Amino acid sequence: MPSIDPTRRGRRPGDSGTRDAILDAARRRFAHEGFRAATVRAIAGDAGVDPALVMHYFGTKQVLFVAAMEFPLDPAQVVPHLVGSGIDGLGERLVRLMLGVLDELGDTNPMLGLVRSAMGHPDAARMLREFLGEAILDPIAAAVSEQTGADRPRLRADLCASQIVGIIVARQILVLPELAAADRETLVVAYGGTIQRYLTVSLAP
Amino acid sequence: MPSIDPTRRGRRPGDSGTRDAILDAARRRFAHEGFRAATVRAIAGDAGVDPALVMHYFGTKQVLFVAAMEFPLDPAQVVPHLVGSGIDGLGERLVRLMLGVLDELGDTNPMLGLVRSAMGHPDAARMLREFLGEAILDPIAAAVSEQTGADRPRLRADLCASQIVGIIVARQILVLPELAAADRETLVVAYGGTIQRYLTVSLAP
DNA sequence: ACCCTAGTTCAACATCCGTTGATTTCCGCC
DNA sequence: GGCGGAAATCAACGGATGTTGAACTAGGGT
């Protein structure tokens, strides 16, 4: 009976979670090759599927990218949770949260795909800017500014963003050896102090 | 007379600085498209030259990249100059130097090409790691460590590298608005303090 | 006056990529 | 028990890319 032939066409029996398999493969490929280098064919191959099926589900590589980079963290929840406990130690809490996300999501981390694609792909750069800056750091800096009277909250948010992006690039992409190997709490203290400083220190030249 | 025909083949009269034109166009393209997206054809087009001539000079896109990313700063000169004036204000001097280089080289900055290409191109990542880390930051951290007794100089160098790469990405590639518009000395103070801290603060968690 | 060499172009190849249209198979509903 | 539509595959197209080999032209040394 050819009903178990693995090379047959047509619909497969059961509740095939194929769409999710494609999204997962896409996240993995985008995360460590970037938008341009990650090919639809390779993603389809990883998901064990024909490239045309990817287009059937998403229509366009671009749309697939946007769907795959949807972030599993809701800023509307995370920001109040960070700021709610007060300004003291806010930097460390933010860094701890971020390192945690980086470590547990690993290969499938949308943030990695976003950062890697942002170079040379303006749409990805915009998505990263909007998520990191407008959704997370701007509200945090605004809250701090409201409570401490610190000036230029937007610039403070940008300063924080530059360090956070730098962490992702240096640790996950360049894989600077001591940084990649360092104990997480050591990094929380080192980077947390920087973030805290950017949020509160005087910015007059 | 067809001797002035602009579409003719063969050698052009005079000392045509064509090789340099190609290198310049390559730097520009690599700097704001990255290794993969910058095509040999586009580079040749910018230089007003046939793509085959690029291959004739450099043999391979990869070799062209390495040649174009040769850095115009000699670490053997810059490091002693920075450290020689003492540890005080070292962070600010380093940041000021870097922002100066970023601003004056602009479109043709090899550092930009290196960072943008480092995502998704392991060779570029290695070049960036070697230049920034091993050639500049490791010696600086080692010198500081020797004079102050600070521990873990390599980790300190990696921490500095993560902030410097973050500056380049956030300011030149993501173009975070307030960061791109900020006065240079404001950034020197903000970032200089961070670098100084990474070089000297206690790293115990 | 001659030839060698370096500069330069042209045309083409092989490969790979995103996308499309036709076709086949099966699930779920009436 | 049939049937529409969703899931899946196949084969192909059109375009772009890095690279190659042959051809042509001019300058410079002898």
Side-chain angles (χ1 to χ4, degrees):
Chain A
M1 274 2 177
S3 73
I4 331 179
D5 179 7
T7 64
R8 74 186 186 284
R9 297 212 201 163
R11 185 170 196 169
R12 303 282 176 71
D15 183 9
S16 63
T18 306
R19 211 189 121 100
D20 288 340
I22 293 175
L23 278 174
D24 205 63
R27 272 187 278 264
R28 223 179 301 275
R29 286 280 176 178
F30 285 138
H32 62 102
E33 299 180 13
F35 180 81
R36 186 134 184 171
T39 73
V40 171
R41 285 171 150 90
I43 292 170
D46 291 353
V49 139
D50 190 275
L53 189 58
V54 176
M55 309 313 286
H56 172 250
Y57 274 124
F58 299 96
T60 280
K61 188 187 182 184
Q62 181 71 228
V63 173
L64 169 64
F65 180 74
V66 174
M69 293 303 125
E70 193 91 11
F71 210 72
L73 237 65
D74 182 13
Q77 276 190 298
V78 89
V79 171
H81 174 261
L82 284 173
V83 178
S85 320
I87 305 257
D88 256 20
L90 174 56
E92 295 195 358
R93 289 199 298 279
L94 180 57
V95 172
R96 191 177 292 112
L97 170 71
M98 213 204 47
L99 290 178
V101 169
L102 281 184
D103 284 348
E104 66 186 59
L105 267 58
D107 264 2
T108 311
N109 195 340
M111 192 88 80
L112 254 186
L114 233 38
V115 170
R116 227 192 272 258
S117 305
M119 335 274 131
H121 205 273
D123 285 355
R126 187 178 37 78
M127 288 172 66
L128 181 58
R129 215 163 40 222
E130 287 173 1
F131 176 74
L132 201 63
E134 302 175 18
I136 302 217
L137 294 172
D138 270 356
I140 290 181
V144 171
S145 173
E146 197 180 336
Q147 291 185 40
T148 67
D151 61 337
R152 310 185 73 176
R154 278 265 172 56
L155 175 58
R156 294 176 189 277
D158 285 0
L159 289 169
C160 293
S162 75
Q163 176 61 91
I164 288 177
V165 169
I167 296 175
I168 298 176
V169 173
R171 196 173 107 117
Q172 315 289 123
I173 297 180
L174 297 182
V175 198
L176 301 187
E178 294 263 328
L179 198 56
D183 172 70
R184 189 190 294 180
E185 280 304 309
T186 302
L187 296 182
V188 165
V189 172
Y191 286 128
T194 296
I195 301 295
Q196 194 77 19
R197 192 171 152 272
Y198 288 157
L199 290 173
T200 57
V201 83
S202 160
L203 288 180
Chain B
M1 252 54 142
S3 72
I4 331 180
D5 180 6
T7 65
R8 74 188 186 283
R9 297 212 203 165
R11 185 173 195 167
R12 303 282 175 72
D15 182 9
S16 63
T18 306
R19 211 189 121 101
D20 288 340
I22 293 175
L23 278 175
D24 205 63
R27 272 187 278 265
R28 223 178 302 274
R29 286 282 176 175
F30 285 137
H32 64 102
E33 300 181 11
F35 180 80
R36 188 131 184 173
T39 73
V40 172
R41 284 170 150 91
I43 293 170
D46 290 354
V49 139
D50 190 275
L53 189 59
V54 177
M55 309 313 287
H56 173 250
Y57 275 126
F58 299 97
T60 278
K61 188 188 181 184
Q62 181 72 229
V63 174
L64 169 64
F65 180 75
V66 174
M69 292 303 123
E70 193 92 11
F71 209 73
L73 235 66
D74 183 13
Q77 275 190 297
V78 87
V79 171
H81 175 262
L82 284 174
V83 178
S85 320
I87 305 255
D88 257 20
L90 173 56
E92 293 196 357
R93 289 200 296 280
L94 180 57
V95 172
R96 191 177 290 111
L97 171 70
M98 213 204 47
L99 290 179
V101 169
L102 281 184
D103 283 349
E104 66 185 60
L105 267 60
D107 264 3
T108 311
N109 195 341
M111 192 88 81
L112 253 185
L114 233 39
V115 170
R116 227 192 273 256
S117 305
M119 333 276 133
H121 206 274
D123 287 355
R126 187 178 37 79
M127 289 173 66
L128 181 58
R129 216 163 38 222
E130 287 173 2
F131 177 73
L132 202 62
E134 302 174 18
I136 302 218
L137 293 172
D138 270 356
I140 290 181
V144 171
S145 172
E146 197 180 336
Q147 291 184 40
T148 67
D151 60 337
R152 311 186 72 178
R154 276 265 171 56
L155 175 58
R156 293 175 190 278
D158 286 359
L159 289 168
C160 294
S162 75
Q163 177 60 92
I164 288 177
V165 168
I167 297 175
I168 298 176
V169 172
R171 197 174 104 118
Q172 315 289 123
I173 297 180
L174 297 183
V175 200
L176 302 187
E178 294 263 328
L179 198 57
D183 172 71
R184 189 190 293 180
E185 280 303 310
T186 302
L187 297 182
V188 165
V189 173
Y191 286 127
T194 295
I195 301 295
Q196 192 78 17
R197 192 172 151 271
Y198 289 157
L199 290 173
T200 56
V201 85
S202 159
L203 287 181

